[in-house]
Amino acid sequence: MLLLLLSNAVTLRRDKSILYSRIAIIILLYSSLLGLVSLYIKYIDKGIGLYGGLFHITSNTQIFHIFIFLISAAILQLTSFYPRKLLIPEHSSIHRLLFYKFVFYKCMVQNKMGEQFTIIEYSLILLFITIGATFLISTSDLVSIFLSIELQSYGLYLLSTLYRNSELATSGGLTYFLLGSLSSCFILLGTCLLYANSGTTNLDGLYVITSLSDMFNDNTNNILYWYKPYYINFSMLIMSIGFLFKVAAAPFHFWSPYVYDAIPTIVTTFVAIIAKISIFIFLLELVHYTSNSLFAFQFSWTSSLLLSSLLSLIIGTIVGLTQFRIKRLFAYSTISHVGFILLALSINSIESIQAFIFYLMQYSISNLNAFIILVTIGFSLFYYVNDNKDDKEFNKLLDKNLSPIQLISQLKGYFFVNPILALSLTITIFSFVGIPPLIGFFAKQMVLSAALDNGYIFLVLIAILTSVISAVYYLAIIKQVFFYKSDYKMNIMLMYCRYFGNIFYKTTHIKQVIYKIEHIILSSSLTITISILTLIILLFIFIPQEWLSMANILALILFNP
């Protein structure tokens, strides 16, 4: 990373951004390998402390470190490879690819002038965000909590405003910065109150005090007669408000639809996934060790998570019904799914934590696939034109180059343009709905089962109703894709053109090749990534044991006395 930072500072060519992204992928894959190797520390049941107790490494944290590294590497593929390539069947054999050189005009085919390939700082900022996320997952001190969350957040603010020529992205990033700063104030206030009340910044010390505070009601052995345990309760409540802001949980969700819609889709992919994973895994340990205590009164700060879960389920579903912009719809979809995640988190039983871990992982994968497909659809339409001249909304769209697909109506009839990509999008959306036998169904079923076992019948009924209602706006997307005639027509100027390329063997010119617009196809990096993610969603029913066993083992490790 130091070398990457130095090379960013001295380079004169901004078109080298694609190489920096590839280096960042190598860094992330190597980091995930290191995480996998250190996963097998068998002699320490409860993990190890680092840097004087600032961080705590366990099996749970290591698994999610690896998960974040792999997700980040998948997102970086969008800027590490050009979106399109040229495929001429008779000149695509392994022998010709290895020993012959095909020279052609690449800018039109590969979109080499796309703005995402001219921002050399992108991969470096993304790596800093990933560091903040991994630190937050492992944090074990009030000081490192704030440092980690701010390292992650500042990177996200910069990433949102990285496209300097976009007024929308600058506006969205500024909104994100201002409201994110407000949420950081809540987190800082909560940590200050915790320190003032407990006298320690270490979370382990806080957990000990919290577990001892149930003696407060014991009149015969009141060793903590001077202590007021509800101070910690209120402090944790204030701090949780800041974290609910960060994950866009209702009623603190109002910034996310605008920000998701304003910033470029490639950036939205990262903002919508990574920040949520790290905060939820941090909250997992916090909830587990502080919610089991018998406080002086019945209210616990985790009740606020249940209330937020209820509001997220309702608001994310009802308001989502009125959306006609695709990324705003995904934002409200995320709010609804955050409701399920918070429900599993608040219950804090072995079954619910297993459901929580599994739901978080499967939803991150499904969300990643949905956004990558959205970006890929935009790349696939470059030689099409919208034939509907009366579509005023489409004609008024801003930032078409950064976010080609902004309206749900732009997907109209896309099945007749690219059937395979349309089917992949459909499978992902059906997983969001929770239709069996896709992975999303099993995740929802696990959360609802854990909630029923613990007596949360009202919340289960609300969750089932909102899932059914949310199917309306998901199926509206599928209706647009499959049941309408497409407005896209081949660009006449491009369709009848003939393009020329030259084949060389070493330095000898062999022949000139004519290629057509049909020979320009999507890049292998995009198609392979979408295929793998879609198959995971679709074929989970055939390989459930590994996923479920991992979630179960991680939950048992957390509850192991």
Side-chain angles (χ1 to χ4, degrees):
M1 282 195 66
L2 181 62
L3 292 174
L4 201 63
L5 188 62
L6 289 172
S7 59
N8 260 327
V10 301
T11 186
L12 296 176
R13 294 185 58 182
R14 300 195 69 81
D15 59 340
K16 293 294 183 184
S17 169
I18 193 167
L19 299 180
Y20 290 117
S21 294
R22 292 175 183 177
I23 293 169
I25 286 181
I26 294 171
I27 291 172
L28 289 167
L29 292 178
Y30 183 63
S31 299
S32 62
L33 182 62
L34 288 177
L36 188 63
V37 170
S38 62
L39 190 63
Y40 296 101
I41 301 176
K42 299 181 180 179
Y43 301 105
I44 304 167
D45 293 331
K46 285 297 183 180
I48 54 175
L50 298 175
Y51 303 112
L54 287 178
F55 300 99
H56 187 223
I57 304 299
T58 64
S59 298
N60 278 306
T61 62
Q62 288 298 87
I63 285 289
F64 279 96
H65 284 174
I66 296 169
F67 187 64
I68 281 183
F69 293 145
L70 294 178
I71 291 282
S72 301
I75 295 172
L76 263 170
Q77 283 192 104
L78 296 172
T79 52
S80 298
F81 303 95
Y82 294 119
R84 293 180 288 268
K85 67 178 182 180
L86 192 63
L87 182 65
I88 303 176
E90 60 269 26
H91 297 288
S92 298
S93 64
I94 296 177
H95 176 74
R96 286 186 176 274
L97 289 174
L98 291 176
F99 298 105
Y100 289 79
K101 186 177 181 182
F102 186 26
V103 179
F104 59 97
Y105 182 62
K106 296 182 178 181
C107 283
M108 181 203 71
V109 174
Q110 296 183 322
N111 191 32
K112 293 182 73 173
M113 305 308 292
E115 193 169 349
Q116 70 269 30
F117 300 120
T118 62
I119 302 175
I120 58 174
E121 302 89 356
Y122 177 81
S123 55
L124 191 64
I125 293 173
L126 193 142
L127 286 176
F128 276 113
I129 297 170
T130 307
I131 287 180
T134 52
F135 281 179
L136 183 61
I137 286 174
S138 305
T139 188
S140 185
D141 195 277
L142 295 178
V143 176
S144 54
I145 287 173
F146 192 71
L147 291 176
S148 303
I149 194 71
E150 289 309 292
L151 178 59
Q152 173 181 286
S153 298
Y154 285 150
L156 291 171
Y157 306 149
L158 288 172
L159 202 63
S160 301
T161 55
L162 208 56
Y163 290 75
R164 301 176 181 87
N165 299 324
S166 170
E167 182 182 343
L168 271 178
T170 306
S171 172
L174 185 60
T175 303
Y176 190 19
F177 168 66
L178 292 174
L179 294 175
S181 301
L182 177 64
S183 65
S184 297
C185 291
F186 280 103
I187 295 172
L188 192 57
L189 177 60
T191 54
C192 290
L193 291 174
L194 282 173
Y195 174 66
N197 182 238
S198 63
T200 179
T201 61
N202 194 282
L203 290 181
D204 287 339
L206 186 69
Y207 299 152
V208 170
I209 293 173
T210 306
S211 61
L212 287 174
S213 65
D214 60 1
M215 298 181 185
F216 185 74
N217 289 329
D218 189 352
N219 295 322
T220 59
N221 187 23
N222 194 356
I223 62 172
L224 292 177
Y225 66 93
W226 50 270
Y227 189 71
K228 302 293 188 293
Y230 51 80
Y231 286 160
I232 286 185
N233 212 21
F234 285 131
S235 303
M236 300 289 280
L237 178 62
I238 292 170
M239 192 164 70
S240 69
I241 290 173
F243 285 113
L244 291 175
F245 249 104
K246 299 284 187 186
V247 297
F252 313 107
H253 65 283
F254 42 82
W255 60 270
S256 64
Y258 174 68
V259 172
Y260 282 22
D261 193 39
I263 60 181
T265 307
I266 288 176
V267 178
T268 310
T269 308
F270 196 79
V271 172
I273 299 172
I274 299 299
K276 290 180 174 54
I277 297 174
S278 59
I279 291 172
F280 276 126
I281 298 304
F282 165 71
L283 286 176
L284 171 62
E285 187 171 324
L286 203 62
V287 169
H288 176 68
Y289 288 110
T290 60
S291 64
N292 292 329
S293 174
L294 299 175
F295 287 101
F297 52 103
Q298 295 301 314
F299 175 77
S300 172
W301 73 276
T302 52
S303 303
S304 65
L305 301 183
L306 280 173
L307 178 61
S308 180
S309 169
L310 175 64
L311 293 174
S312 297
L313 287 168
I314 295 172
I315 292 173
T317 301
I318 303 301
V319 184
L321 293 172
T322 63
Q323 302 305 313
F324 60 92
R325 297 181 69 89
I326 185 74
K327 284 195 290 182
R328 279 180 178 267
L329 182 60
F330 280 173
Y332 283 107
S333 163
T334 299
I335 293 166
S336 176
H337 286 278
V338 163
F340 275 95
I341 294 172
L342 286 174
L343 175 59
L345 180 64
S346 306
I347 296 168
N348 193 34
S349 64
I350 293 180
E351 294 81 6
S352 71
I353 297 304
Q354 179 183 355
F356 166 82
I357 292 171
F358 180 69
Y359 199 108
L360 186 60
M361 296 183 82
Q362 71 82 23
Y363 182 66
S364 299
I365 290 172
S366 300
N367 218 15
L368 174 65
N369 198 33
F371 277 110
I372 292 180
I373 289 173
L374 201 61
V375 173
T376 306
I377 289 174
F379 289 144
S380 70
L381 294 174
F382 88 107
Y383 51 80
Y384 288 86
V385 291
N386 194 314
D387 199 43
N388 188 357
K389 305 297 183 184
D390 299 325
D391 193 346
K392 295 179 181 179
E393 290 292 337
F394 176 77
N395 296 328
K396 291 179 182 177
L397 287 180
L398 301 175
D399 280 0
K400 290 183 184 179
N401 291 331
L402 301 180
S403 300
I405 305 298
Q406 299 180 34
L407 305 174
I408 297 175
S409 59
Q410 286 179 267
L411 298 173
K412 187 184 295 183
Y414 186 75
F415 176 75
F416 303 101
V417 176
N418 191 327
I420 296 176
L421 207 54
L423 286 171
S424 296
L425 178 63
T426 304
I427 290 169
T428 307
I429 289 175
F430 277 153
S431 180
F432 284 154
V433 177
I435 292 178
L438 303 177
I439 192 170
F441 165 76
F442 295 99
K444 287 188 175 181
Q445 183 264 336
M446 288 171 69
V447 172
L448 296 176
S449 175
L452 274 178
D453 289 344
N454 287 271
Y456 294 94
I457 298 173
F458 177 72
L459 275 172
V460 169
L461 289 174
I462 294 295
I464 292 172
L465 283 173
T466 52
S467 289
V468 173
I469 295 170
S470 68
V472 174
Y473 59 69
Y474 287 127
L475 293 176
I477 300 175
I478 295 171
K479 180 182 176 184
Q480 292 277 353
V481 172
F482 286 91
F483 298 103
Y484 286 100
K485 185 179 178 182
S486 176
D487 289 332
Y488 293 107
K489 304 293 181 185
M490 275 278 201
N491 190 334
I492 300 297
M493 295 179 65
L494 294 176
M495 190 165 54
Y496 293 108
C497 287
R498 294 293 180 268
Y499 305 97
F500 299 92
N502 295 292
I503 295 179
F504 291 86
Y505 179 71
K506 295 182 179 178
T507 58
T508 306
H509 180 263
I510 304 297
K511 63 183 291 191
Q512 189 177 61
V513 178
I514 299 175
Y515 65 93
K516 301 178 183 178
I517 201 76
E518 307 89 76
H519 294 138
I520 301 173
I521 63 170
L522 289 170
S523 169
S524 300
S525 64
L526 291 173
T527 53
I528 291 173
T529 304
I530 291 172
S531 301
I532 291 172
L533 294 174
T534 306
L535 288 174
I536 289 173
I537 294 168
L538 181 63
L539 303 180
F540 168 77
I541 191 171
F542 297 109
I543 47 168
Q545 193 59 40
E546 289 75 12
W547 287 75
L548 297 176
S549 296
M550 182 180 67
N552 192 26
I553 289 169
L554 292 177
L556 288 171
I557 289 173
L558 192 65
F559 279 84
N560 186 27

